[in-house]
Amino acid sequence: MSDADSGGARAALDRAASLMLNASVLQRVAIATASTALALLVGLVVVAAAGYDPAAFLLNVVEGAFGDRTATARTLKFTTVFVLTGIAVAVAFRAGVFNIGVQGQFVVGGFACVVAILRLAPVLPEGAVGGVALILLGTLAAVVAGGLYAAIPGALKAYADANEIITTIMLNFIAVGVVGYLVEGPLRGEGNRAPNTDRIPDYAEFPSLVFDVPDFSLVGLGVALAVVAAIAVVMARTNVGYDMVTSGHQESAATYSGVDADRTIVRTMALSGMVAGVAGAVFAIMIQGYYSDPSGIGTYGFDAIAVSLLAANNPLGVVPAGLLFGGLDSAGTHIGINSDVPVQLIDGIIGLVVLFVAAPELFRMAAERTGLGGERR
Amino acid sequence: MSVADYAARNRLRVGGAVALVALAAVAALAADVPVADVVTVGFVERSLQAATPIAIAAIGGLYAEKSGVFNIGLEGFMIFGAANAAAMMYLVGGSSPTQADLWMAIVASVGITLAYTVIFAVLLIRYKADQIVAGLAVWFVALGFGPFTAVLLWGNRNSPGLASVNDLTVPLLSGIPVVGPILFDTSPLVLLTVVLAVVAWLFLYRTRYGYWIQAAGENPEALDTAGVSVTRVRYAAVIFSGAMAGLAGAVLLAHAGSFTGTGDTMVNGRGWIGIVAYLFGNYNPLGAAAAALLFGGLDMLQIQFQTAGIDLPNRLVNLFPYVAVVVVLTVWGSTRMPDAVGESYESED
């Protein structure tokens, strides 16, 4: 916790933090756009080199993302999950902690949500009231489970100096393995041939509202946007968020002004994992309706790292970045059905976006050479 | 630093490892586990085979980190290594490749991965890319393009059965009980790894270039003052680490005999475990190889448990290496990194 009386240091930190956060917004947008364009370009070259038609591929990408109502609903479905997992990553990265474990926290959270709903359903009344209660309690279970699962690597980093990049990646494998074991055996739904849990009751699912598709609901998107708003406020306007960001960027200064760095790390990871838990709950309730072997549910938690990096770890930037990746993933689904270009290419392109985002210097130098971008260094 | 020195300086580490093994033995006895059925010659052989890719990747990674660059892309380069080796073997030998095709594929795959690493190194060193983010990116790119290659070639994320490497049998020596079959009737790639580990150790601690690599990571200014280009040393170390990771992937493929591109691909975290192996081995190639053997052994336990009739769910036994990594990092997390790791270096002139 920051002391109010160390005013001078705090004012200096304020200025430093706001410089960090605001000065280069335009530049970041330019770099993100250039990275995405370059990655797509490389992708098109690969498509051409593999003997397919790059123009048709590009057309498929656009059609698959926003071609019709179904495509748009699918894009928004993926966007919802990417925004939530992306903000989970962003919370940690912004505070200087690398939470690569969002995938694991997402799985643990979603699974806890389904188990909680299945256990509580017989106790609560059926119908709308019971449904809302089940959704809220299930999400609560997901938040607690995700937060606790993320607190483990946080505590290991804070108190045992264990590199969080590697512990979180290992915990991803462990989460997928353990949940996979549970849905295969002890918690498999009765009479299920596939390794799945039972379905959650219909009344505990989101109403689909505008789009008439079973696996997307504006409620889910609303939840995602609400979480973004909440996190943006926490990070920018509260002491907790302020301590997190400053100790991420300037640990010594933060310690000087009385922030307990260790506790902040654990708290940051827990918050990040709680958001990942919400993502897991929305995925389980809105998209799946049950829980299946997590080795096959999609790598939302990994792609979220790309989402967050593209957004420069800015909570609000996660929304457009999430939309971009939602569109790409949706295009991938479309391409998988309508074209013979292997969909794995989309994952490769997402990786290339991250690679280019990591090297802003590349674009600065290119801009300098070509005289674009004027005075910028 | 000789092995005895290493053990003396790292009493806690070595003692800890011994204590862990002792504890496991006591637990096994207490739980009435048929130890003789679990620890067999075959188990040691399989563990060595499982350890080779981890050890090779770890040796490469520690060179990069010694020179001041954290190559967190090992996992990704391993995926490229495995996928490209499979692709090469198929392109040269069709669906029934010979041993010669296999060896050619390994060499070609290392060459291709080396070319990728040059781009990676330029991004890291010349364009000062964030080492963590860029390394993760390599992983993501590989997770996409590895299976992409497989689908292009075989219409499936997994390759059909290709060829795995034949055992090398040394006459006479292989007749020695226990040691014979383990060392002289085994995959030549295991022997290659042993040689690599020893040479990597000698090179790092006994040659001038080895000292330059260490200086580039510990005190780049001093190296610069001595008239050696820090940038050049780092380029060499990073490119070497990538090529080794490519070799590690190719070796993994050569033992498995086919490429698996589902899930997290057949590499399945071994690159990450490689990073932990060299941390646990305290940046010493021999220590890293020993740590890799520990993880390789854990990886192979499930087969032993099955043959010994110990009833544990497969999926949970498979998690042993990952759990071990977390435990190792927790107990020995604070390794001393080279001072200048993660910082890009700007020469004064």
Side-chain angles (χ1 to χ4, degrees), chain A residues 49-350:
Chain A
Y52 300 102
D53 179 2
F57 176 77
L58 204 57
L59 190 70
N60 266 324
V61 168
V62 177
E63 258 180 17
F66 298 105
D68 51 27
R69 277 177 79 88
T70 326
T72 311
R74 192 174 54 212
T75 295
L76 291 178
K77 170 182 80 178
F78 290 130
T79 302
T80 302
V81 184
F82 281 134
V83 166
L84 281 169
T85 48
I87 196 110
V89 174
V91 166
F93 277 30
R94 174 41 68 87
V97 186
F98 287 97
N99 182 7
I100 316 296
V102 167
Q103 179 78 14
Q105 294 138 24
F106 169 80
V107 164
V108 169
F111 179 68
C113 171
V114 168
V115 170
I117 290 181
L118 289 175
R119 286 282 147 87
L120 292 173
V123 202
L124 291 170
E126 288 184 24
V129 179
V132 171
L134 282 179
I135 288 174
L136 290 179
L137 289 170
T139 308
L140 182 69
V143 167
V144 171
L148 286 178
Y149 202 62
I152 300 171
L156 294 184
K157 178 187 169 67
Y159 301 108
D161 223 1
N163 184 321
E164 83 277 20
I165 298 171
I166 296 167
T167 50
T168 50
I169 289 172
M170 293 301 126
L171 288 168
N172 285 338
F173 286 110
I174 294 171
V176 169
V178 171
V179 171
Y181 160 74
L182 290 175
V183 296
E184 251 172 36
L187 290 173
R188 186 196 292 228
E190 242 163 82
N192 269 355
R193 215 175 264 186
N196 296 335
T197 63
D198 283 322
R199 279 201 84 85
I200 59 176
D202 287 338
Y203 57 85
E205 289 184 15
F206 293 153
S208 63
L209 295 183
V210 177
F211 294 94
D212 194 22
V213 284
D215 57 359
F216 173 68
S217 158
L218 282 181
V219 177
L221 187 61
V223 169
L225 296 179
V227 170
V228 166
I231 293 292
V233 170
V234 167
M235 298 296 275
R237 296 265 179 269
T238 66
N239 275 338
V240 176
Y242 179 85
D243 289 349
M244 276 165 47
V245 175
T246 47
S247 64
H249 283 292
Q250 293 176 314
E251 200 189 324
S252 51
T255 313
Y256 177 74
S257 67
V259 178
D260 181 337
D262 289 343
R263 202 180 302 161
T264 306
I265 290 172
V266 180
R267 203 175 283 166
T268 303
M269 281 298 281
L271 180 61
S272 173
M274 285 158 73
V275 178
V278 176
V282 168
F283 172 80
I285 296 173
M286 183 176 87
I287 299 180
Q288 275 204 311
Y290 56 88
Y291 221 79
S292 61
D293 185 341
S295 60
I297 61 168
T299 52
Y300 299 101
F302 291 125
D303 296 342
I305 297 166
V307 172
S308 176
L309 291 171
L310 194 65
N313 304 329
N314 180 319
L316 297 177
V318 164
V319 177
L323 187 62
L324 174 74
F325 283 98
L328 277 176
D329 243 34
S330 176
T333 311
H334 178 79
I335 288 166
I337 302 164
N338 297 297
S339 150
D340 47 0
V341 179
V343 283
Q344 287 74 23
L345 183 67
I346 298 283
D347 296 333
I349 291 177
I350 288 177

Side-chain angles (χ1 to χ4, degrees), chain A residues 43 46 50 52 93 98 100 156 160-163 165-167 169-171 173-174 176-178 180-181 184 293-295 299 302-303 305-306 309 341-342 344-345 347-352 354-362 365 369, chain B residues 70 72 75 119-120 123 126-130 132-141 143-145 147-148 151-152 157 263-264 268-270 272-273 275-276 279 313 315-316 319 321-323 325-326 329-335 337:
Chain A
V46 173
Y52 300 102
F93 277 30
F98 287 97
I100 316 296
L156 294 184
D161 223 1
N163 184 321
I165 298 171
I166 296 167
T167 50
I169 289 172
M170 293 301 126
L171 288 168
F173 286 110
I174 294 171
V176 169
V178 171
Y181 160 74
E184 251 172 36
D293 185 341
S295 60
T299 52
F302 291 125
D303 296 342
I305 297 166
L309 291 171
V341 179
Q344 287 74 23
L345 183 67
D347 296 333
I349 291 177
I350 288 177
L352 285 172
V354 181
L355 187 62
F356 294 132
V357 165
E361 208 67 19
L362 179 69
M365 280 198 189
R369 289 276 160 79
Chain B
F70 192 5
I72 203 171
E75 173 91 6
I119 303 172
F120 180 65
L123 279 176
R126 180 177 159 88
Y127 295 112
K128 303 188 182 70
D130 184 311
I132 305 283
V133 176
L136 284 171
V138 173
W139 186 29
F140 297 149
V141 174
L143 278 174
F145 282 122
F148 176 76
V151 174
L152 269 190
R157 299 177 66 144
D264 294 302
N268 208 8
R270 287 181 176 82
W272 300 108
I273 294 178
I275 293 175
V276 177
L279 292 179
R315 262 197 109 143
L316 296 185
L319 300 179
Y322 307 125
V323 175
V325 163
V326 175
L329 272 186
T330 306
V331 182
W332 292 277
S334 44
T335 48
M337 279 195 180

Side-chain angles (χ1 to χ4, degrees), chain B residues 39-252:
Chain B
V39 185
T40 60
V41 170
F43 173 58
V44 177
E45 271 185 305
R46 277 191 290 277
S47 302
L48 278 168
Q49 282 205 8
T52 43
I54 299 173
I56 296 172
I59 290 167
L62 83 86
Y63 263 64
E65 194 157 338
K66 274 275 182 192
S67 83
V69 181
F70 192 5
N71 183 355
I72 203 171
L74 294 183
E75 173 91 6
F77 288 120
M78 277 183 79
I79 297 176
F80 276 123
N84 286 331
M88 281 295 145
M89 193 166 21
Y90 180 74
L91 293 177
V92 176
S95 51
S96 55
T98 62
Q99 288 293 303
D101 296 336
L102 170 72
W103 285 98
M104 213 227 70
I106 294 177
V107 173
S109 169
V110 172
I112 298 170
T113 318
L114 191 141
Y116 294 157
T117 327
V118 172
I119 303 172
F120 180 65
V122 170
L123 279 176
L124 283 193
I125 297 168
R126 180 177 159 88
Y127 295 112
K128 303 188 182 70
D130 184 311
Q131 294 176 3
I132 305 283
V133 176
L136 284 171
V138 173
W139 186 29
F140 297 149
V141 174
L143 278 174
F145 282 122
F148 176 76
T149 312
V151 174
L152 269 190
L153 284 177
W154 302 295
N156 192 313
R157 299 177 66 144
N158 302 330
S159 82
L162 297 164
S164 53
V165 70
N166 286 346
D167 280 359
L168 181 75
T169 311
V170 182
L172 291 179
L173 288 178
S174 59
I176 307 171
V178 185
V179 179
I182 289 175
L183 278 183
F184 301 108
D185 183 18
T186 182
S187 159
L189 296 166
V190 169
L191 300 178
L192 175 74
T193 308
V194 174
V195 173
L196 267 176
V198 173
V199 170
W201 182 86
L202 283 173
F203 189 82
L204 195 59
Y205 292 113
R206 291 287 181 272
T207 68
R208 190 142 58 125
Y209 205 88
Y211 285 117
W212 288 353
I213 290 176
Q214 299 189 49
E218 292 292 350
N219 194 343
E221 290 80 10
L223 189 64
D224 201 18
T225 315
V228 178
S229 162
V230 174
T231 312
R232 204 175 292 174
V233 171
R234 287 188 175 174
Y235 267 119
V238 174
I239 292 169
F240 172 73
S241 72
M244 288 292 270
L247 175 64
V251 163
L252 183 65

